[in-house]
Amino acid sequence: MRYISTRGQSPSLSFEEAMLSGLARDGGLYVPETIPQMSEADIRALHGLSYEEVAFRVMRPFVGDGFTDEVFADLIAKAYAGFGHGARAPLVQLAPGHFLLELFHGPTLAFKDFAMQLIGQLFQEALERRGERVTIVGATSGDTGSAAIEAFKGLDAVDVFILYPHGRVSEVQRRQMTTPSESNVHALAMNGHFDDCQARLKDMFNHFEFRDKVRLAGVNSINWARVLAQVVYYFSSAVSLGAPDRKVSFTVPTGNFGDIFAGYIAKRMGLPIDRLIVATNQNDILHRCLATGGYQTSKVHPSISPSMDIQVSSNFERALFDAYGRDGNAVAQLMAELKDGGFHVSQGALEALREHFDSGRVSEDETLQTIALAQKTMGELLCPHSAIGVRVGEAMRDPATPMITLATAHPAKFPDAVEKASGIRPPLPSRMADLYERPERVTRVANDLTALETLISERIAK
Ligand SMILES: Cc1ncc(COP(=O)(O)O)c(C=O)c1O
Ligand SMILES: N[C@@H](CCOP(=O)(O)O)C(=O)O
C-alpha cells in the first residue's frame, strides 16, 4: 500500500514513512493510493469479535509490511489495554433508533485516545527498529494535545511540543497538558486561536531546513495513521447494529474533519453507511460550505465546545481531493486561494461531497438545552461537543435507518458548561482526582514562527 499527497507533487510513501513524515513536502496530506475493500462476508465475520480483533482486520490492509501481523496485533493490544471500558467504544441507546457511541473511555477522556494510543505504540516500535528519534509538534484546541502527551510522555526517542491557544481550552484540558512532569513533554500556550497554532505547525513542516534539522513529526490528523485508527469504531458500532445487513448513519461533532473523514473511509471500504452528518457549533464554515459551496473563513467565535472552534478544517482537503477526482493541482489551487480567505467548490465537486455528507449547525443555547434534555430524559450526561452531535443527529435522522452519534469527550472535561446546563458538575474519574492539585509547567509563546522554531531547537539541544 502506497500513500500519495492531496497536492499531487510529492513522491508516494509507505505507511510507515507517511506516518513518520506527517505532512507531505508539497504541503498536502497523505491518502492511500487505493482504498482496500471489505466484502459483506468480511464485515459479517466481524460479529462477536473484540474491539482489538476488529481493529486488526480493518487496519491491516493499510499498514503494509512495515509491521508483521504478530507485531501489529501486539501493538493494538497494548494500545487499548488502558481503556476504562471492556468494549472500548460502547454503544448506548438514547432513543428508539438513535444511539450514542461513547468514545471517551480512554486515558484522556476523548476520542483522540483511540488513535493516539495506537500511534504511540507504532512510533515507538518503528523508531526503535530504525534507531531514530523525532520531534513531535502538535497543535491542539484541547484534546489532541492531552492525548498526544499521554501517548508519548517519557519515551526516549521523542520530544513532544504541544501548541495550544492560551485561554481558549478548558481548565481540565489545560491541566492534562501542563501537569505531566516528564522532561520530553513541552506545553506551549500560544497567543491566538487553534487555527493560528495549526498554521504555525504547517509552517514548520513547510520550512524544510527546520523540519529536517529537528526531524519533525506530526500527530495531528494531518497524519494518516490518526485517521486510520478512527475508521475502526465505525465498523465496530455499525456491525453491532446489524451491518452489513442493515445500513446505519452517523452524526459526528466536527472541527478539523478528521473523525468524519474516517467514517467516509469506512464507507469507501464497503461499510453500508447511509449518511455522514457533520455537526458544527457556531464556527460553522463546514456547514456553510456544504450548503452553499463557499468555503470562506471568518472570525473564530469562542464557544462552550472549544475543541471545535476551528475555521480552517485540515482534513477537508482530503475530502476535496476525492471530490475533485483526485486532481492534486485543483486542490493545490484551492489551498492557495484559502490563504487569501477562501474558495468556492465547483458544482461537480459539491455534488460529490453531498453524495456522502449532510450537515447541521447548533447554537450555544441549543447546546445547553440539549445537555439539559439528555440528562433529564435519558439520564445521559453529554459534553458540549457530543450534545451538538446529538442535537443534529436527532433532527436529521431518518426513522428507517439507525443513527449513531459520536460522543467525542467525557462531560468531566467541560464541567462548567455541563453544570450550567444540567445543574450537575461531573466528577473526574478517580485516577485523575488530584488533577487540580498537580503543579503546572507551561511556556507562554508568541504567534511567531521564528521564535517557536528557536525555542524548539534550544529545548531539544539540551
Ligand atoms: C471533543 C471533540 N469533539 C469533536 C472534535 C472534532 O473532531 P475533528 O477535528 O476530527 O472533526 C474535537 C477535535 O478534534 C474534539 O476534541
Ligand atoms: N479538536 C482538536 C483539534 C486538532 O484536531 P486533530 O484531530 O487534527 O488533531 C483538538 O482537540 O486538539
Side-chain angles (χ1 to χ4, degrees):
M1 167 64 76
R2 305 292 294 174
Y3 289 84
I4 56 173
S5 165
T6 48
R7 303 212 189 156
Q9 300 299 318
S10 286
S12 70
L13 298 181
S14 69
F15 173 80
E16 185 170 305
E17 289 163 339
M19 178 183 80
L20 294 175
S21 305
L23 201 66
R25 284 176 102 84
D26 60 7
L29 278 68
Y30 284 109
V31 289
E33 201 165 28
T34 55
I35 306 289
Q37 296 299 297
M38 289 192 61
S39 66
E40 284 198 1
D42 294 334
I43 296 170
R44 205 166 283 116
L46 301 176
H47 278 273
L49 298 186
S50 68
Y51 187 85
E52 286 80 350
E53 287 166 323
V54 174
F56 179 86
R57 292 192 189 195
V58 170
M59 291 190 284
R60 188 70 192 103
F62 290 92
V63 170
D65 47 18
F67 301 88
T68 65
D69 282 0
E70 205 183 359
V71 168
F72 190 51
D74 183 48
L75 298 179
I76 292 173
K78 285 185 189 147
Y80 300 117
F83 275 51
H85 197 292
R88 312 308 183 213
L91 205 52
V92 299
Q93 183 155 19
L94 279 179
H98 194 174
F99 299 82
L100 194 68
L101 182 60
E102 291 185 353
L103 299 174
F104 50 70
H105 296 286
T108 68
L109 312 180
F111 76 97
K112 311 284 178 172
D113 290 321
F114 278 89
M116 214 61 89
Q117 284 295 309
L118 181 63
I119 291 197
Q121 298 291 336
L122 293 169
F123 262 68
Q124 198 178 353
E125 159 73 23
L127 292 174
E128 258 173 34
R129 175 163 28 81
R130 292 164 166 247
E132 292 175 10
R133 77 182 323 283
V134 293
T135 304
I136 289 174
V137 182
T140 189
S141 51
D143 292 321
T144 290
S146 42
I149 287 171
E150 183 66 28
F152 290 97
K153 68 183 183 191
L155 297 190
D156 285 340
V158 172
D159 268 292
V160 53
F161 292 83
I162 297 296
L163 283 169
Y164 70 85
H166 176 66
R168 299 189 190 279
V169 299
S170 80
E171 184 174 359
V172 172
Q173 290 176 314
R174 188 192 76 232
R175 287 179 172 277
Q176 284 181 313
M177 295 187 276
T178 58
T179 57
S181 57
E182 288 78 0
S183 60
N184 73 330
V185 170
H186 312 267
L188 309 177
M190 200 180 100
N191 298 333
H193 293 283
F194 167 76
D195 289 330
D196 301 310
C197 299
Q198 183 158 256
R200 294 301 76 75
L201 172 64
K202 288 196 173 179
D203 290 345
M204 286 180 214
F205 271 106
N206 291 325
H207 180 194
F208 297 148
E209 192 188 330
F210 174 77
R211 175 177 181 162
D212 295 339
K213 185 178 82 178
V214 304
R215 182 65 175 93
L216 188 61
V219 293
N220 277 97
S221 56
I222 56 172
N223 192 318
W224 168 257
R226 275 278 312 280
V227 175
L228 175 60
Q230 293 171 196
V231 174
V232 175
Y233 44 70
Y234 287 90
F235 275 91
S236 65
S237 56
V239 162
S240 67
L241 291 185
D245 302 307
R246 186 157 71 143
K247 275 194 171 188
V248 293
S249 291
F250 288 91
T251 302
V252 186
T254 296
N256 232 2
F257 208 80
D259 212 6
I260 195 153
F261 190 76
Y264 165 78
I265 294 294
K267 185 174 180 184
R268 294 276 319 275
M269 289 174 74
L271 189 66
I273 294 177
D274 186 18
R275 305 305 300 161
L276 286 162
I277 302 175
V278 171
T280 78
N281 67 16
Q282 57 194 359
N283 298 294
D284 60 353
I285 187 166
L286 290 164
H287 175 53
R288 283 184 281 121
C289 181
L290 286 165
T292 66
Y295 190 90
Q296 303 298 333
T297 53
S298 58
K299 203 169 157 309
V300 175
H301 298 285
S303 74
I304 55 170
S305 46
S307 304
M308 285 159 49
D309 290 346
I310 298 177
Q311 286 283 324
V312 181
S313 183
S314 191
N315 288 281
F316 197 49
E317 177 167 346
R318 287 187 164 116
L320 289 169
F321 183 59
D322 277 5
Y324 276 83
R326 299 208 137 194
D327 178 349
N329 291 330
V331 172
Q333 173 64 33
L334 296 177
M335 294 303 132
E337 289 172 33
L338 182 58
K339 282 204 163 36
D340 298 324
F343 54 80
H344 207 87
V345 179
S346 71
Q347 194 54 35
L350 190 57
E351 278 163 22
L353 288 168
R354 287 178 180 158
E355 234 178 77
H356 303 284
F357 301 105
D358 289 317
S359 64
R361 172 205 202 267
V362 178
S363 70
E364 295 287 269
D365 280 349
E366 288 167 337
T367 308
L368 291 168
Q369 285 162 15
T370 308
I371 295 173
L373 191 71
Q375 198 283 319
K376 223 161 134 186
T377 58
M378 307 165 216
E380 186 77 29
L381 213 48
L382 300 171
C383 94
H385 311 77
S386 312
I388 287 168
V390 167
R391 177 93 182 193
V392 172
E394 192 55 28
M396 295 185 70
R397 79 188 165 86
D398 163 1
T401 312
M403 172 63 74
I404 299 175
T405 293
L406 274 53
T408 48
H410 193 287
K413 286 192 103 163
F414 307 93
D416 295 340
V418 174
E419 186 175 23
K420 184 174 173 195
S422 67
I424 298 171
R425 195 163 182 86
L428 284 167
S430 55
R431 67 191 149 81
M432 286 187 195
D434 67 342
L435 187 68
Y436 289 89
E437 276 88 64
R438 296 180 201 160
E440 294 190 74
R441 200 165 50 91
V442 58
T443 307
R444 279 297 305 277
V445 292
N447 180 1
D448 178 307
L449 181 64
T450 310
L452 286 166
E453 290 184 348
T454 306
L455 181 143
I456 292 169
S457 302
E458 286 174 359
R459 290 268 180 99
I460 61 173
K462 276 190 188 156

